Structures are given as structure tokens and as C-alpha cells.
């Protein structure tokens, strides 16, 4: 058999295994205290997650099968199973996907990046800070950290190549490897900072609501800003120490950026429009909690203006099939996860886990839960799948142990982002960097592991104190 | 000013006009008998429709603005405005868009077409029948008649070129023009035949539900089958008489098809799978009314199988941005139209129109309504926009005049499809044929007008009698 056929054969075996796994769950005696419906939904949901984790199926077909089985078996009513598609926050994510395309197309993203490099790019460490700062500036309207990683990668890749650090001639360690690793680490922080910087964030906030915990745009960013600010300075420095670049000074980078900016010329009309839409949108999003504005409608209006001004065209739309794919699997898994909670599965599982930690103070339970949540990410390919599968249960256990709701929810949702570099496959945002060859997958386990540890420590100490103080 | 700038300037004037139109509606005194909310929603909705009809905006940005304004002005609650996104029938349309790609990719669509031509393609008229028959066979899983027109056009275009009927050398009338016109007319019939052959069909059926009229998959096809069968034979013959091809015999076409089939070789595994999925899906759709199966879930499972077998891949998904665009504008306009009805606008408008026709028997009102509905299509670019804007009002007026609900609803929904050739822009499915140059826009007004008249006459006479007899 050829390698390709072997791969395919292996995958079919995996698929068969997942099918058997799902069937045996479905037909096993229903645990005491659960409705049949809740147990069936769990069997379908966890089979889809296992299919994704094991690599038997991509997340889109796995979700599609899960949906078909859920509805046709009568486990959920059609309108329940499809409800996720009209969730405002999911539509917000999809619209922001499209707006992000406008940021790229208008040239504004590039200009911001070059401006920062021109200012701070004299040393390799300064470059790393610049790239991460640019990331943090554009991230509130870039809820696909995968898409953002594409933008940042192009930038870092150009910087590395311009500085004669290439993969082909064995000079990746001169500068490129360090910058790539820093940018990946930066993505974990930018995604943590804003409610709209990662697709799973608003989904988590919505799920928290079902547990009586309110998290709006302001709560999110206020809770994250202090630990992220510290980590912004700390993490690139740590990487600089444990994974040092061979070239430490880059006097040419600001000059390259300056030349590129001169080539770009004056700020184009489209950049002004894009910038104005962007700033107004983020401003209205931040204010949405207090003004009662609907974030999704704000995003739709922003997209409308970008279409009116031809910054985002019908032609551009044609290539956004991935946004549809995301909408489909995200809406499906979100609905299933929500109904697992509504049908009492989360509280049932939470009670069982809680018996293990009963007697401990809420502080200890809190720390244990966060650490466990981060470590479990070793098994997950998708940050969003991780959140959808486990956030509800962990939140439930924390609430039962008396952990303040906002603290527990925020920390778990932050952790969904700051744990992304724990493995090479821990976030789809990592993939493009590793694909370039600058960073080797094996190096992620070590350097990314340490970055995750630093993130975790700062969030558990400073972050926890800060949230308790501010909320 | 360059032509391009002039065009742009003209469009901005149009946009300004629509804005003023919308504002003056918004601020005018609210007509008696209406809630402010209903009037505001109408002002937004009709402005979006006017923007589309006048060419001020494409349907996607027009809908996006309408949604933003509706929600931010508080006219509808966010969850009401977004509700269309989780409507099962809209998701069904989107999934079927993706499945249609599988029909093309697997080669099954091509094979069916060639098989029919091999059998019936000896004369030019026979070819026209073959093309339409192929259309009718694939249409139940092809709810985008635009996409279907793309598939059929490629086929007709190849047939014309192979028969030395080309646009460039002035031989378009030999065979190409006639075949193209017939195929366009055929699309109006195939779209009428199946509930899932055009995006607006299930939307209309769902809207009818809100008026207490039940139309399921079976009702639809039973009501359409007799008049469509007659028109299938009649329409190409009428076109043959009034818009004759110069070449009437095509002895080579079956040979060309035969050669192409031989080149394709044995039926490929993917075609078997695609065919099986297709047949099972259509069978389950037809049975869905009596078995209580959810049509959308059936489609999702079908898509899942196509993904599992790599007939539809993640790569294919990436190019399906248009499906997302359709989902967005369709869901938005559908929700608005539905809430116009819920808020009492349709019955208010219906009552006012009804005073004009009061005193007439329901039969006369019925005929007048259907004729008016067809003629109004002169003003519409999109069949779906036409249906969403007017179907509810016309149905309401008919019901108030005592027309049997199923008859009124079915006839208006059939008319949404069979009126598509009344103008060149009457359906996006026409565009690709006219774009080829084989058919001139001006010819559509004459030939297409006669085709529409024939469709209308058969449906009003035989169709009406048939529906009354069967239901």
C-alpha cells in the first residue's frame, strides 16, 4: 500500500473506532440521575469531540454528522439543534471575519505594522514587541486568530527574509525562529485581551450567562488588561532567554519599514474609511454593555459601510467559504453544548466531580480547576472545541465549590486562549508558523510549554488578585 | 468624467435617493390602524427592496444595512431580526448549495446530461427537450437556479460550439440561440416543479404556514406536476416556432455524447456514491411530510457522507463564500418579511387592497391577483426579493376574498418561478446565457414574454383545475 492509502486506511479504522465508541455509549445503561435525552446528546457530542481529537474527522464533518444524528434520532428538536445559527455572538464572529478581510485589503493592517516597526524595530527583541503590539491593536476586529496568524506571519516572514534569516540555508535561528515563536506567544495574549479577538470568547461569555454569570465586553477587557500587560513585557523576554536569536540588533528593520511606508505613500482613502469604521466599531463594542447597543448589529453596519465603499466587495465575499464552514460547525457544537447544560448534564457531571474536591476551600478548587483545564489542552486540537466541551463542566464545579462566578468564568475563558502554545496543534494559529519551517514542532513542546507556564502563573497570581480587586 | 466615474456618481445619486425615500417614509405620519413598529419595519424593508430594484445597492449590502438599522433603531429585537439564520428551510437551501457542488465535482451531472443527449439528441428540438429533462432531474438538489444555470449553460454551450454555431462568426442562430432560450425557459419549469429547486420555494412555503396554509414537499410537487408536464412539451415547441433554429437536425449530437461517455469510462465510485446520496435524499425529502423526518437534517447527513467520502472537501468549502452571502441576505429579508406579517402589516395592507376587489367572486380575484403578481415581476431583479416583498400581501388579499388557501399560495409560489423569463434581469439564472452573446437581451422581452404568457395560461387553466381536483 502507498503511504497515502495507508493514511486513508488508518483514518477509516479511526472512524470505525469512533462509531463503535459512540454506539456503545448510546446503548449503555443510562447513569442514574440523567434523562435519556441528556445521555444521548452527550454520546453524540463526545463522539464528535473524540473524532476531532483523534483525527478521525475534521471538525466540520464531525459536527455535521453530529447534527444530523441529533435531529433524526429525535434527541433535540430541529429548532433547538439549529438555534446556534441565529445566536447574535456567532453572527458577530462571522461578520468580523469578513471585516478582517477589509483590514487586510485596505492596506491598513500593513501600515500599522510598518509604523510600529519603524518606531521600535531597532533590536530583535524590539521587533518581537512590535509585532505583538500590532497584533493587539488589530485583534479586537479579528476574531479568527487563525486569520490573524496569517497576517502576522506574512509580516514576520518578510522581516526574517529581509534580515537574511532563512530556512533553506540553515539560518532560521538568526532571527526568524525567535520572531515566529514570539508572534505565536503574542497571539495567545492578544486573543486573551479582547472578547472579540477569538471566536470562542463570546461563545464562552454566552455560555456563562446560562450559569448566571454576566460577562460583557468591558468586564472581559478590564479583567485581562493587567495580566496581559505584564505578560506582554515578560513573555518575549523569556523566549529571548531560552530560545535566543543569533542576531540581536536589527538596525535595518526600521529603515525597511520606512522605505515600505514611503512606497505606500499617503494614507489612502480606503485606509481612512477602514480605520474610522474600525475605531467606531470597537468603541461601540466597548460601550455596548452600558448603552444597550447590539454588538452584532454594529458589526453588520460596519460591514455595510465597507461594502458601500467597495473596501469589501461581492468578489471578496465569494472567497469567504471558510467563514461559512466556521459558522456551521461552531453553531452546531455551541447548540449541543448549550443543550447539554439545559438538559442537566453539566450539573450532573459537575456534582460527580465535585465530590472529589468537596471539603477543600474554594481557592484550592479554583487553582486545581484552572491547572487541570490548561493541562487537558494537551489532548485538544481546537481551542474552541476544548472550550465548548469542558468550560461548562469546570464552571459548574467551581460554582458548586463557592468560587466567585465572574472570576471562575473569566479565568477559564482566558485560559482557553493563553494555553494555545502548549502543543504545536494546540491552536490552528500555530500551524502556519510551523509550516514555514522556521519553528520546529518539537521546540513548541519545550518553549511553548514554558510560555504557557509563565502565562498560567501570572494569571493565577496577579490576574486572580486583579479580577477580585476590580470586580 | 470617465464612464466608470459617471456610473459611480449615478449610483451614489441613487443611493441618496433611496436614503431620502426611506427617511421620508420613516418620518411621515403613521397610517391609521398600524403600530409605529410595523410602519418603521415596512419603511426599512421597502427601502432595501427599492435599493435593489433601482440598482442603488446589491441585495447583500442592502440587506445588511436594513438589518443594522432594524436592530439599532429598536424596531426589532436582535433575536427577532436574526431568527432567519436558524430557520431550517434556509439552512436546507445552504446545505443543498454545497451538495450541488458535489453533483458537479463527482461528474454525475455531466454523465446524466450526456446520457439524455445520447438518447434524444438527434434533432435540435430533441436536444432542447434533453437539456430541460436533465435540468428537471438534477433540480431537486440544486436550489440555486443560478448555479444550475451555470451547469446547464456549460452543457448547451459545448453542444452549440460542437455544432459550429458560434457568436463570433455570426452563426449563433444556427442552433445556439434556440438552445439557450429553451434552457432558460426550462429553468423556469424545473424551478417550479420541486420545492427544493429554487431558494425562494421553501421560504414561501414557510411563510404560507404563518397564514395557516400548509404546503409540504409532496403537496408542492403534486400540484406542479401536471401543468409542468404539459409545459415541458409545449414551451420548447413554441420557442421552436417563434424563435426557430436554422439547423433542425443534429445527427452528430448523440455521437458526441456517446464519445464523451466513452471517454468518461465506467461509472466512477464517486458517481455511485453521489447518485445514491442524491436519490436517498430526494426520496426522504418527498417522504418527509408523512414520516416526520426533518428535511434539513437529512441534507446535513447527506453532506456529511459527501465529506466523509471526499466528494465534497474542506478545499471545496473554501470557495463557497457565495453560499454564505446568500444565507445572510436571505435570512435577513426573510425575518423582516415574517415580522411584517406578525406585526399586522400584511393584513392591514391586504385589507386596503381588498376594498378594491370587494364584491368580486373569489375566482376573479384569484385570476387578477396571479396576473398582477406576474406582471409586477417587470420591476424585480430577484425572484426571491419579489416573493419576499409581495407573496404575503397577495396571499392575504386572496384569503380575504375567499380563495382556497393552498390554491392561492401554490399558484403565487409557482408564478414566482414561471415568470422568470419575462425580462432579461428577471432571474439571475438568465444572466449567464445573455452574457454569452447567443441570446440578446432585447429578444428576451419578446420570446420570454410569450413563454411567460404560455406558462401563465396553462397554470391558470389546467394548473388551477388540477390543484382543485387533487387537494
Amino acid at each position: 500500500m502507498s503511504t497515502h492509502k495507508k493514511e486513508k486506511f488508518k483514518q477509516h479504522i479511526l472512524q470505525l473506532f469512533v462509531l463503535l465508541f459512540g454506539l456503545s455509549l448510546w446503548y449503555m445503561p443510562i447513569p442514574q440521575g440523567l434523562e435519556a435525552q441528556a445521555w444521548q446528546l452527550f454520546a453524540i457530542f463526545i463522539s464528535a469531540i473524540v473524532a476531532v481529537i483523534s483525527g478521525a474527522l475534521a471538525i466540520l464533518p464531525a459536527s455535521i454528522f453530529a447534527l444530523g444524528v441529533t435531529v433524526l434520532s429525535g434527541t433535540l428538536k430541529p429548532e433547538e439543534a439549529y438555534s446556534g445559527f441565529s445566536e447574535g455572538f456567532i453572527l458577530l464572529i462571522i461578520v468580523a471575519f469578513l471585516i478582517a478581510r477589509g483590514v487586510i485589503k485596505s492596506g491598513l493592517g500593513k501600515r500599522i505594522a510598518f509604523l510600529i516597526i519603524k518606531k521600535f524595530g531597532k533590536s530583535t527583541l524590539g521587533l518581537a514587541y512590535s509585532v505583538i503590539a500590532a497584533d493587539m491593536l488589530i485583534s479586537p476586529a479579528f476574531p479568527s486568530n487563525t486569520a490573524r496568524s496569517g497576517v502576522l506571519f506574512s509580516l514576520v516572514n518578510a522581516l526574517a527574509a529581509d534580515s537574511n534569516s532563512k530556512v533553506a540555508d540553515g539560518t532560521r535561528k538568526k532571527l526568524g525562529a525567535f520572531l515566529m515563536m514570539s508572534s505565536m506567544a503574542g497571539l495567545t495574549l492578544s486573543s486573551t485581551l479582547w472578547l472579540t479577538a477569538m471566536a470562542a470568547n463570546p461563545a464562552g461569555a454566552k455560555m456563562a450567562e446560562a450559569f448566571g454569570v454576566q460577562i460583557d465586553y468591558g468586564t472581559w477587557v478590564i479583567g485581562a488588561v493587567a495580566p496581559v500587560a505584564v505578560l506582554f513585557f515578560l513573555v518575549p523576554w523569556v523566549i529571548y532567554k531560552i530560545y535566543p536569536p543569533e542576531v540581536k540588533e536589527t538596525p535595518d528593520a526600521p529603515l525597511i519599514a520606512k522605505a515600505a511606508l514611503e512606497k505606500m505613500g499617503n494614507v489612502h482613502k480606503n485606509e481612512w474609511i477602514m480605520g474610522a469604521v474600525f475605531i467606531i466599531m470597537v468603541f461601540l463594542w466597548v460601550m455596548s454593555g452600558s448603552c444597550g447597543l447590539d454588538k452584532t448589529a454594529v458589526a453588520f453596519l460596519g460591514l455595510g459601510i465597507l461594502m458601500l465603499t467597495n473596501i469589501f466587495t461581492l468578489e471578496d465575499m465569494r472567497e469567504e467559504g471558510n467563514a461559512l464552514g466556521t459558522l456551521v460547525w461552531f453553531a452546531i457544537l455551541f447548540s449541543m453544548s448549550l443543550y447539554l447544560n439545559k438538559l442537566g448534564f453539566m450539573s450532573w457531571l459537575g456534582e460527580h466531580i465535585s465530590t472529589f474536591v468537596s471539603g477543600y476551600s474554594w481557592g484550592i478548587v479554583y487553582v486545581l480547576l484552572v491547572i487541570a483545564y490548561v493541562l487537558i489542552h494537551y489532548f485538544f486540537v481546537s481551542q474552541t472545541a476544548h472550550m465548548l466541551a469542558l468550560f461548562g463542566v469546570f464552571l459548574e464545579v467551581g460554582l458548586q465549590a463557592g468560587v466567585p462566578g465572574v472570576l471562575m468564568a473569566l479565568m477559564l475563558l482566558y485560559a482557553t486562549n493563553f494555553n494555545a502554545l502548549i502543543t504545536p496543534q494546540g491552536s490552528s494559529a500555530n500551524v502556519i508558523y510551523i509550516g514555514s519551517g522556521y519553528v520546529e514542532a518539537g521546540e513548541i513542546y519545550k518553549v511553548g510549554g514554558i510560555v504557557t507556564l509563565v502565562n498560567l502563573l501570572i494569571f493565577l497570581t496577579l490576574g486572580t488578585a486583579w479580577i477580585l480587586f476590580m470586580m
Side-chain angles (χ1 to χ4, degrees), chain A:
Chain A
M1 276 198 286
S2 69
T3 327
H4 177 68
K5 273 205 169 159
K6 260 188 204 156
E7 276 301 307
K8 246 180 127 179
F9 182 73
K10 202 181 128 197
Q11 205 181 17
H12 285 318
I13 296 291
L14 274 172
Q15 286 160 355
L16 197 70
F17 164 80
V18 173
L19 182 68
L20 289 177
F21 172 76
L23 284 175
S24 48
L25 276 182
W26 182 275
Y27 286 112
M28 78 176 248
I30 294 157
Q32 220 180 351
L34 271 185
E35 303 275 327
Q37 198 191 357
W39 180 252
Q40 287 172 4
L41 187 59
F42 168 71
I44 301 169
F45 182 71
I46 203 69
S47 301
I49 299 287
V50 168
V52 174
I53 294 180
S54 67
L57 284 174
I59 198 161
L60 181 60
S63 316
I64 285 176
F65 274 114
L67 178 69
V69 173
T70 302
V71 173
L72 291 180
S73 67
T75 304
L76 287 181
K77 287 186 204 125
E79 60 270 27
E80 293 171 342
Y82 305 143
S83 61
F85 284 91
S86 55
E87 275 292 348
F89 79 87
I90 292 186
L91 295 174
L92 171 64
I93 295 300
I94 301 306
V95 175
F97 260 89
L98 308 180
I99 290 173
R101 170 79 64 153
V103 175
I104 301 174
K105 243 194 93 190
S106 69
L108 184 67
K110 224 160 117 187
R111 190 181 294 273
I112 292 177
F114 282 133
L115 278 173
I116 293 177
I117 294 162
K118 190 180 145 195
K119 202 91 180 164
F120 307 104
K122 254 175 281 179
S123 67
T124 312
L125 190 55
L127 265 185
Y129 284 120
S130 322
V131 170
I132 299 174
D135 180 6
M136 284 183 173
L137 273 179
I138 60 170
S139 54
F142 253 104
S144 164
N145 51 4
T146 314
R148 219 158 69 237
S149 73
V151 177
L152 295 167
F153 171 78
S154 327
L155 175 67
V156 173
N157 195 39
L159 284 172
D162 285 341
S163 316
N164 289 315
S165 170
K166 286 168 188 163
V167 176
D169 59 7
T171 55
R172 69 175 179 99
K173 287 244 175 178
K174 268 172 83 177
L175 186 135
F178 166 73
L179 279 186
M180 300 266 173
M181 188 68 84
S182 301
S183 178
M184 276 192 280
L187 275 160
T188 71
L189 299 178
S190 62
S191 307
T192 306
L193 183 57
W194 305 94
L195 181 68
T196 46
M198 216 279 278
N201 294 356
K206 182 82 190 176
M207 286 178 72
E209 234 173 61
F211 292 86
V213 180
Q214 296 295 330
I215 295 174
D216 62 22
Y217 209 99
T219 318
W220 182 288
V221 68
I222 290 170
V225 70
V228 167
V230 171
L231 288 165
F232 171 75
F233 290 102
L234 190 57
V235 163
W237 181 82
V238 168
I239 299 177
Y240 194 72
K241 288 291 159 195
I242 60 171
Y243 190 69
E246 289 164 8
V247 174
K248 317 238 161 173
E249 302 300 318
T250 52
D252 289 348
L255 299 175
I256 293 171
K258 205 177 155 225
L261 281 169
E262 272 162 17
K263 207 178 143 201
M264 284 182 87
N266 288 329
V267 179
H268 189 266
K269 198 183 79 186
N270 281 353
E271 291 174 76
W272 282 119
I273 299 171
M274 185 67 238
V277 168
F278 188 95
I279 289 170
I280 293 172
M281 224 170 54
V282 174
F283 174 76
L284 290 176
W285 283 348
V286 174
M287 302 300 293
S288 61
S290 45
C291 302
L293 286 174
D294 183 67
K295 285 193 287 290
T296 310
V298 168
F300 267 114
L301 264 194
L303 178 62
I305 293 168
L306 295 185
M307 293 195 84
L308 188 69
T309 51
N310 281 318
I311 292 171
F312 183 87
T313 64
L314 293 174
E315 289 299 307
D316 297 326
M317 188 74 197
R318 206 177 282 183
E319 287 158 31
E320 293 292 342
N322 275 345
L324 176 60
T326 303
L327 172 62
V328 171
W329 69 256
F330 199 3
I332 293 172
L333 292 185
F334 177 78
S335 303
M336 295 185 77
S337 175
L338 201 69
Y339 275 92
L340 271 181
N341 186 32
K342 281 197 187 167
L343 294 172
F345 185 86
M346 297 288 189
S347 57
W348 172 82
L349 188 59
E351 274 165 30
H352 276 72
I353 299 178
S354 294
T355 56
F356 291 103
V357 291
S358 69
Y360 292 102
S361 72
W362 72 254
I364 292 176
V365 174
Y366 165 74
V367 171
L368 286 178
L369 283 173
V370 175
I371 293 175
Y373 187 85
V374 168
L375 289 180
I376 289 175
H377 196 57
Y378 272 110
F379 301 108
F380 276 90
V381 181
S382 152
Q383 296 170 264
T384 307
H386 180 173
M387 193 284 289
L388 290 174
L390 295 178
F391 171 65
V393 182
F394 275 70
L395 179 57
E396 174 73 32
V397 174
L399 291 176
Q400 287 188 16
V403 184
V406 173
L407 175 67
M408 192 75 246
L410 277 182
M411 193 55 66
L412 290 172
L413 293 176
Y414 294 157
T416 305
N417 293 290
F418 70 61
N419 70 10
L421 205 55
I422 203 168
T423 64
Q425 70 280 6
S427 163
S428 43
N430 301 344
V431 175
I432 190 169
Y433 293 96
I434 297 165
S436 74
Y438 274 103
V439 179
E440 287 175 359
E443 295 170 342
I444 304 271
Y445 283 102
K446 189 187 138 215
V447 182
I450 292 172
V451 167
T452 306
L453 184 66
V454 172
N455 284 345
L456 177 63
L457 285 177
I458 295 293
F459 263 92
L460 270 184
T461 54
L462 171 71
T464 303
W466 172 255
I467 292 171
L468 287 176
F469 175 73
M470 294 300 291
M471 305 294 158

